[in-house]
Amino acid sequence: MEKTVQLYEGKAKKVFATENEELLIVSYKDDATAFNGLKKGTIVGKGAINNRMSNLLMQMLEKKGVPTHFVEELNDRETVVKRVSIVPLEVIIRNISAGSFAKRYGVPEGIVFDAPTIEFSYKNDDLGDPLINSYHALALKLATPEEIETIKTYAFKVNEELRKFWTECGVTLVDFKLEFGRLSDGTIVLADEISPDTCRLWDSATGEKLDKDRFRRDMGGVEDAYAEIMRRLLENV
Ligand code: TMP
């Protein structure tokens, strides 16, 4: 499989067309941004880690009944995925208070919820990805009622499976963001990536942050945290 033209360059990935209309190649970069691109930097080795981790987790989720865009890993940074049209919703599941939840509702980080929460943001950089509810998503025609139901079901299933997996690795899955896409026949599949860029992952024993919050919050040890979380994953996969 060969790349033809570059279709898109995002904050963390480039996307290329291929000879096959239905397939794309994504290439993961070491670039990191936060706060809608205001903060910029590099996390050396991130592209390769996120590529590998996302692919391994998506293959695991496929086996558990969640369809994904994953097709084939080409090399350490590049993966063949199914072409989708992205549903412009960021789907966020939370098990423990952190980040914007803690800030918005004025609670400390680390409160364990009785049940996971789900929320949607409208994927729109110009507007700063505003929080919306499912009625707003329908009003804005971002997805159909059936698609929203499917997305919710898959998102909670992903949470169940990832939580189990990370627990075995000695890691607590605090929260994460998913994106879904439509194949040409309309089927909803999990797309984008699942990585330390898009999940909060805390060492279960020490509470140490092993994710992109180290970059967002200038905590240092960013590369080490990415390497450590990858090591934990590879030990248990
Ligand atoms: P938040 O607490 O900042 O809303 O983030 C919730 C989760 O979503 C967290 O695991 C990080 C992830 N996330 C992204 O993947 N992309 C983003 O642009 C943001 C803001 C959060």
Side-chain angles (χ1 to χ4, degrees):
M1 183 71 47
E2 295 284 321
K3 293 179 284 203
T4 55
V5 292
Q6 183 174 313
L7 298 177
Y8 171 78
E9 177 161 5
K11 298 188 193 102
K13 297 188 281 297
K14 293 179 186 173
V15 180
F16 298 88
T18 68
E19 320 84 80
N20 184 331
E21 189 58 25
E22 303 283 329
L23 299 177
L24 303 175
I25 292 175
V26 295
S27 178
Y28 285 75
K29 305 191 289 184
D30 283 357
D31 299 355
T33 67
F35 315 117
N36 201 14
L38 279 178
K39 182 180 170 71
K40 290 190 173 69
T42 301
I43 301 174
V44 177
K46 173 172 90 80
I49 287 174
N50 287 9
N51 183 42
R52 197 85 237 277
M53 183 177 295
S54 193
N55 292 342
L56 289 169
L57 293 175
M58 287 209 187
Q59 284 169 273
M60 183 180 89
L61 290 168
E62 284 272 359
K63 286 195 200 120
K64 304 289 184 182
V66 180
T68 78
H69 71 167
F70 175 80
V71 177
E72 185 193 2
E73 189 169 296
L74 288 180
N75 55 53
D76 69 339
R77 278 175 197 273
E78 294 180 331
T79 294
V80 182
V81 298
K82 294 176 187 163
R83 181 192 283 264
V84 297
S85 101
I86 287 284
V87 177
L89 291 172
E90 300 205 336
V91 181
I92 295 159
I93 297 273
R94 300 179 192 270
N95 297 303
I96 296 178
S97 65
S100 69
F101 183 98
K103 194 168 175 215
R104 178 174 302 114
Y105 303 118
V107 295
E109 296 201 311
I111 298 170
V112 179
F113 302 151
D114 292 340
T117 67
I118 190 163
E119 71 202 43
F120 300 106
S121 291
Y122 176 23
K123 208 173 133 57
N124 182 320
D125 280 342
D126 292 340
L127 300 176
D129 298 341
L131 186 65
I132 62 171
N133 67 33
S134 55
Y135 292 87
H136 298 152
L138 292 175
L140 293 167
K141 304 194 192 308
L142 306 181
T144 66
E146 295 74 25
E147 286 175 337
I148 295 208
E149 275 317 300
T150 303
I151 286 171
K152 281 188 189 165
T153 303
Y154 287 158
F156 283 119
K157 174 77 176 161
V158 168
N159 185 45
E160 236 177 79
E161 296 302 334
L162 290 186
R163 255 175 110 168
K164 256 190 270 174
F165 174 75
W166 284 117
T167 300
E168 288 163 16
C169 303
V171 170
T172 303
L173 177 63
V174 174
D175 57 30
F176 57 93
K177 185 264 299 179
L178 301 175
E179 294 184 26
F180 292 87
R182 302 177 186 97
L183 300 178
S184 54
D185 68 359
T187 308
I188 293 283
V189 300
L190 181 60
D192 193 48
E193 67 181 270
I194 308 175
S195 73
D197 277 21
T198 62
C199 303
R200 285 197 174 93
L201 300 159
W202 294 353
D203 182 288
S204 304
T206 65
E208 191 189 352
K209 297 186 198 307
L210 299 172
D211 58 59
K212 194 179 166 191
D213 269 352
R214 300 198 78 87
F215 169 80
R216 295 189 187 99
R217 302 178 185 191
D218 295 321
M219 296 171 74
V222 185
E223 276 92 359
D224 286 350
Y226 275 70
E228 174 61 17
I229 197 75
M230 190 63 193
R231 193 186 66 73
R232 302 274 188 102
L233 177 136
L234 290 176
E235 261 181 7
N236 287 278
V237 84

